Amino acid sequence: MGKFVLVVIIIAALVYAGMWLLEQRRVAGHNRPRKPAPRVSAPDDDDEFLRRLRRPRSDDGGSDHGT
């Protein structure tokens, strides 16, 4: 009876270790990003946006609507 219990414990330990290894590989695979995330920039990081802000406006605020 003692040998049977020992064999069952060894088999259970091997199955547990195998399942643990499979789970670790699955979790590690999901943590790796597949593509780099696109870089998001704020408007004040955009040179063209800043140039347009510095440029003098040709209209006078929209008062030429004919009224």
Side-chain angles (χ1 to χ4, degrees):
M1 181 71 176
K3 288 183 183 181
F4 176 73
V5 172
L6 184 61
V7 169
V8 169
I9 290 173
I10 290 173
I11 291 174
L14 289 174
V15 169
Y16 175 78
M19 296 303 285
W20 182 81
L21 285 172
L22 287 174
E23 180 67 17
Q24 292 301 312
R25 290 181 74 192
R26 186 185 68 83
V27 169
H30 285 286
N31 288 339
R32 278 185 270 141
R34 297 187 189 263
K35 290 188 240 177
R39 183 173 182 264
V40 178
S41 64
D44 60 345
D45 291 340
D46 185 11
D47 291 333
E48 180 60 30
F49 176 79
L50 294 174
R51 273 193 288 276
R52 281 186 279 138
L53 284 180
R54 288 188 204 111
R55 206 175 297 150
R57 297 182 69 171
S58 60
D59 63 347
D60 56 344
S63 64
D64 59 346
H65 291 293
T67 56

